[in-house]
Amino acid sequence: AVVSTQSTGIDEARTFLDAARLLKASGATTVHVMVTHGILSGNSPEELAECDSIDEVVVCNTTPIGDKTERCTKLKVIDVSIMVAEAIRRIHNGESMAHLYQNIRGDD
């Protein structure tokens, strides 16, 4: 079974490491960690990289990433800057936010 865990943020990796190990021990073949804000303090990037139970860590570029992609080769960063800018523009102009989320393409 392929399992993905989602959260709004990851600062310290311990909870994700423990969850991934439990999932793999319970039969998961692949574990993907998906979070909005990849803060990844201290040695978290290295801890995630060294964890055999985690296959991929996906974060948005809502916080500075710096050298974290070099420190954790499992880390994939999704650029959400265009979507955030469009959301701010729509809110400022009193336009529909629903339209923004109903018209997302897979290649955006």
Side-chain angles (χ1 to χ4, degrees), residues 60-62 79-91 97 100-101:
C60 298
N61 65 338
T62 57
D79 183 0
V80 295
S81 59
I82 293 171
M83 181 182 236
V84 171
E86 181 63 12
I88 292 169
R89 188 193 70 74
R90 287 181 170 281
I91 291 167
M97 288 294 291
L100 176 65
Y101 295 108

Side-chain angles (χ1 to χ4, degrees), residues 7-69:
S7 180
T8 56
I10 181 172
D11 187 5
E12 296 180 1
R14 179 63 41 213
T15 302
F16 292 93
L17 299 173
D18 292 344
R21 289 183 186 116
L22 181 62
L23 289 166
K24 285 280 179 115
S26 298
T29 57
T30 307
V31 175
H32 300 274
V33 175
M34 295 178 233
V35 298
T36 304
H37 311 294
I39 299 166
L40 299 171
S41 297
N43 291 329
S44 292
E46 289 81 8
E47 292 173 354
L48 291 166
E50 294 167 4
C51 181
D52 292 334
S53 297
I54 294 177
D55 297 284
E56 182 179 48
V57 180
V58 181
V59 301
C60 298
N61 65 338
T62 57
T63 60
I65 300 301
D67 67 345
K68 293 172 185 149
T69 53

Side-chain angles (χ1 to χ4, degrees), residues 3 17 38 63 75 78 91 95 104 108:
V3 178
L17 299 173
T63 60
L75 186 62
I78 297 174
I91 291 167
E95 297 176 21
I104 296 175
D108 285 346

